[in-house]
Amino acid sequence: MAEDRVLSRGPKAKPGRRKGKAAAPRRGKRGRRWFVRAALVLAIIALLPIGLIALALVPQIRPVSTLMIADLIALKGYERQWVSLDEMAPVLPRSVMMSEDGQFCRHYGVDLGELKVVVEDALDGEKTRGASTIPMQLVKNLFLWPSRSFVRKGIEIPYAVAMDAILPKRRIMEIYLNVVELGEGIYGVEAASQHYFDRSAAKLSAEQAARLAATLPNPAERNPEAGGPGTRKLARLIQRRATRSGAYTGCLELDG
């Protein structure tokens, strides 16, 4: 009878079985915690540029570009003198708009028409042309890397839309004209005006403003002071467009 009682208790549990079952949920919880932390870090990184864009609403904030920071890290230094949009010759922002982003006053950070053409060209295997608006270029200058890629373009788009929604058009143009590269170690239109024409951005002529605007796509190869025939031809075209722009560039005016 005693033997029957012992057998009725069933086989003894193997040591460590309960402990193993408890360890698996603990590992799962640790994995979920790491996932939540990683997602939180990624969210903060993604939202950081939005916060910096909002901070730029303060007129006293003077942003710097990633290229300027790279020059400092490389101990090269750079030239940059901040000037407000009101301290520039009015023809200068008009020339830049007519050269770089003709729909600047009308789009919401992204020129969908131009972007559609680029996507269609890419799908057809054709060589694509740039479709970057001034907000997209400014996002690149402030937060991203210079080399061209569809990955960078995909990151630019939502930030450019956010920038256009947060900042007035005049403020976007003002920041852009103060961080854009216009020569090796030369950033912003004031430093460029002093360097190439020995005068302030406030005293630029229509021709000089157009020549500066003509260098923006490739300042490493285009010199506004002594550009080649192609650069001079482009500058003349920009000058004509800026002269005739009228209300087309109205968002750059004081009441825009």
Side-chain angles (χ1 to χ4, degrees), residues 44-80:
I44 291 172
I45 292 173
L47 291 175
L48 181 60
I50 306 295
L52 294 175
I53 289 169
L55 193 62
L57 281 166
V58 180
Q60 290 75 23
I61 298 294
R62 299 178 173 182
V64 296
S65 70
T66 53
L67 289 178
M68 294 162 76
I69 294 171
D71 282 348
L72 286 178
I73 293 173
L75 302 178
K76 293 180 181 179
Y78 60 81
E79 296 178 46
R80 199 275 288 272

Side-chain angles (χ1 to χ4, degrees), residues 96-239:
V96 170
M97 177 181 155
M98 300 311 295
S99 172
E100 293 291 283
D101 185 1
Q103 298 298 319
F104 177 69
C105 289
R106 290 165 170 76
H107 63 58
Y108 297 97
V110 178
D111 188 335
L112 295 178
E114 286 294 314
L115 195 62
K116 181 174 179 290
V117 172
V118 170
V119 172
E120 289 174 349
D121 287 347
L123 292 176
D124 292 340
E126 298 178 13
K127 185 178 180 181
T128 59
R129 55 195 176 97
S132 290
T133 61
I134 285 175
M136 290 171 70
Q137 292 182 51
L138 184 53
V139 164
K140 177 200 70 175
N141 289 339
L142 294 180
F143 308 122
L144 303 175
W145 59 95
S147 59
R148 294 179 63 180
S149 69
F150 283 106
V151 173
R152 195 203 72 196
K153 192 73 69 179
I155 297 172
E156 279 177 17
I157 290 173
Y159 287 137
V161 173
M163 175 177 285
D164 195 86
I166 294 170
L167 298 181
K169 295 285 188 179
R170 279 176 54 84
R171 181 59 170 162
I172 293 173
M173 182 64 78
E174 180 179 85
I175 297 173
Y176 177 71
L177 293 178
N178 277 284
V179 301
V180 68
E181 185 184 21
L182 286 160
E184 186 175 358
I186 301 170
Y187 297 92
V189 294
E190 180 65 21
S193 299
Q194 297 285 356
H195 180 83
Y196 294 115
F197 305 119
D198 196 27
R199 61 178 62 189
S200 69
K203 296 181 179 179
L204 286 177
S205 67
E207 180 188 355
Q208 290 166 336
R211 284 161 65 181
L212 270 184
T215 68
L216 284 176
N218 197 345
E221 296 183 4
R222 298 182 181 180
N223 188 319
E225 188 178 19
T231 302
R232 291 196 295 269
K233 182 179 179 181
L234 177 59
R236 288 193 294 270
L237 175 61
I238 293 169
Q239 184 177 346

Side-chain angles (χ1 to χ4, degrees), residues 20-51:
K21 288 182 179 179
R26 282 200 297 270
R27 285 196 297 269
K29 287 180 180 179
R30 283 199 298 269
R32 285 194 293 272
R33 282 199 298 268
W34 278 110
F35 176 81
V36 170
R37 289 172 185 171
L40 183 61
V41 169
L42 290 175
I44 291 172
I45 292 173
L47 291 175
L48 181 60
I50 306 295

